[in-house]
Amino acid sequence: MSAAAIRPSTLQPRDVLRVGLVGLRTRRLRAVLSVLGVALGIASMVAVLGISASSRNDLLAALDKLGTNLLVVKPGQSFVGDGTVTLPSTAAAMVGHAHGVTAASTVEDLDELTVRRSDRIDPEITNALSVGATRTTLANTVGASLRDGAFLNSATSRYPSVVLGATAAARLGIDRVGDGVQVWIGDRWYTVVGILDPVTLAPELDSYALVGLPYAEKALGADDSPSFMYVRADPDNVSQVSSLLGPTANPEHPEEVDVSRPSDALEARAKAKTAFTSLFLGLGAVALFVGGVGIANVMVISVLERRSEIGLRRALGATRRHIAVQFLTESVLLGAMGGAAGAVIGVLVTSGYDANRGWALTMPAYAVAGALACAVIIGALAGAYPAARGALRRPRAGQRGRPGTCPPGSR
């Protein structure tokens, strides 16, 4: 056969995938282990982004549902240091009639009282729980929901009845209401009429045992001096109402009134989670880098083991570019398969975690697409050196064809 009859070797695009799969099919266990390393890194990154997005969306959904117009008024700090700062007993009535206020309720701490499961428990064992006197409007004002039972009403608020916050109920070992479910407060039994769910906008209420203000004024020495006042403002005038609450609640010393907006704290907490997300993404990136190193190691070994194959391909007319494309394709395929497997694992982990927490699944499209792109790039970078090393290998002398039979450009 003459040299003119031999056409230059070509590698069609449709052949690239088939040639790249050759090494993977013949070394399946090694390929699986390499894919697993990349998959773990990608799965951790996808899961972190998915769980973070679900958590943030759940919090924002709760804020949308509960509203961002809740304000909390409580005693602040005295600038003259002349004793404990308190709100006057007229604060609730004055704030309730202020312009722009749509609802208001209060909680007054009864510091001398403790709540216990039994009268036989040492009074010094408080479980970090508080007793407070409140109005019947509290639950609606703060957007609280009942896990069981009902909140205090005009009837139960006049008798020794109590509503437990979520944390208080858990520490007292109470998970339901009904006949005979009681707790010991002060020197007598109180009937548990309700158990609250965790209160998103007023988490301090979770550790309270709440009794009715009318009963507390009659039997427990309450004087309607609020420790906390919860105010719902007109959504369009929240800032204006916030600026007026201090002078309205305590006209004589408005500087001693602390006004806060719980939704701001929750939004800040959502932003703070971004820092932890970045940390976990960094750890996922480290795992992905380790997976890339594993691919590079496998490909270098593969080039050394397949010297005969490389020499035979070169002798048959394959160019250096063809050899490089073959090994680079193998490396990219390892990365892509690891990325696909990791993305699936990450989505499944996120789905399970969200279902366990009762969150709606939120998986950003950029998380999956970005993870796959990172895996492919890692595969390409990991295979660059082994591909170049394989391309530079020359066919052995025994594998070279006769003079004039080696296609142009193959050397």
Side-chain angles (χ1 to χ4, degrees), residues 178-268:
D179 294 338
V181 180
Q182 297 180 313
V183 293
W184 185 263
I185 299 177
D187 59 357
R188 66 167 301 164
W189 292 102
Y190 284 67
T191 301
V192 179
V193 297
I195 299 175
L196 294 173
D197 285 318
V199 184
T200 303
L201 292 180
E204 62 275 2
L205 295 179
D206 293 344
S207 59
Y208 266 83
L210 300 168
V211 299
L213 180 60
Y215 175 80
E217 289 179 323
K218 179 179 65 175
L220 301 176
D223 59 3
D224 197 15
S225 176
S227 302
F228 296 94
M229 183 184 301
Y230 301 95
V231 179
R232 284 286 182 179
D234 182 349
D236 297 327
N237 298 291
V238 177
S239 298
Q240 294 87 332
V241 172
S242 177
S243 64
L244 294 174
L245 285 179
T248 303
N250 192 350
E252 294 185 0
H253 299 285
E255 74 282 357
E256 295 180 355
V257 179
D258 183 17
V259 180
S260 61
R261 192 175 181 182
S263 58
D264 291 341
L266 291 176
E267 290 175 353

Side-chain angles (χ1 to χ4, degrees), residues 20 27 58 76-77 117 149 185 188 193 233 254-255 260 309 335 356 397:
R27 298 166 178 83
D58 180 74
Q77 298 293 325
R117 191 67 178 89
I185 299 177
R188 66 167 301 164
V193 297
E255 74 282 357
S260 61
E309 175 189 335
N356 183 61

Side-chain angles (χ1 to χ4, degrees), residues 343-365:
V344 172
I345 295 172
V347 171
L348 292 176
V349 170
T350 302
S351 300
Y353 187 87
D354 290 354
N356 183 61
R357 298 297 298 269
W359 297 344
L361 174 63
T362 304
M363 178 56 66

